[in-house]
């Protein structure tokens, strides 16, 4: 039963991350491509997120990458009492002034595009 749960969780996490990309990531990462300082900040945050998730989460090796990323980003947004749409609205077109939270969530978006994070959960059925 854990295999089915893992696949359902992975599917929901991937859908949630796709929504995050639509609401914030696409515009923010496009801006980062044009603003070197923002790109550098996103890269630094991505390294921090990667370290936290791979080194600081017990059992991370067995979890789907999308589940780890979505859980981390959702936790950040929940803790701040906001969502991606509000972050996007607050930035407007001034991406060079994005706050810590916005850059951190953009880092999650950047990582979610990386194939290394598309690790699937354990197979549902053993061969």
């Amino acid at each position: 039963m854990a295999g089915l749960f893992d696949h359902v969780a992975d599917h929901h996490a991937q859908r949630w991350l796709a929504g995050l990309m639509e609401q914030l990531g696409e515009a923010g990462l496009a801006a980062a491509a044009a603003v070197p300082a923002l790109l550098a900040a996103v890269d630094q945050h991505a390294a921090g997120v990667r370290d936290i998730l791979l080194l600081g989460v017990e059992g991370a090796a067995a979890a789907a990458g999308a589940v780890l990323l979505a859980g981390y980003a959702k936790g950040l947004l929940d803790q701040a009492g906001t969502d991606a749409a509000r972050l996007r609205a607050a930035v407007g077109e001034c991406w060079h002034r994005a706050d810590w939270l916005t850059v951190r969530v953009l880092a999650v978006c950047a990582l979610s595009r990386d194939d290394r994070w598309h690790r699937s959960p354990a197979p549902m059925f053993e061969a």
Side-chain angles (χ1 to χ4, degrees), residues 33-99:
V35 180
L38 179 59
L39 182 59
V42 170
D43 286 345
Q44 288 294 314
H45 279 267
V49 170
R50 187 172 36 251
D51 287 349
I52 287 169
L53 295 180
L54 295 179
L55 303 174
V57 176
E58 187 175 332
V67 172
L68 293 171
L69 289 171
Y72 181 77
K74 185 155 179 23
L76 288 174
L77 294 171
D78 288 351
Q79 182 68 28
T82 193
D83 60 29
R86 286 189 207 136
L87 290 180
R88 175 68 180 98
V91 169
E93 297 305 316
C94 299
W95 286 100
H96 63 284
R97 287 189 267 176
D99 65 1

Side-chain angles (χ1 to χ4, degrees), residues 1-48:
M1 197 55 134
L4 178 60
F5 174 79
D6 291 341
H7 285 278
V8 170
D10 183 52
H11 174 74
H12 284 287
Q14 288 183 28
R15 287 186 57 207
W16 191 86
L17 288 169
L20 186 66
M21 282 296 293
E22 283 181 28
Q23 293 177 338
L24 182 75
E26 291 169 2
L29 295 175
V35 180
L38 179 59
L39 182 59
V42 170
D43 286 345
Q44 288 294 314
H45 279 267

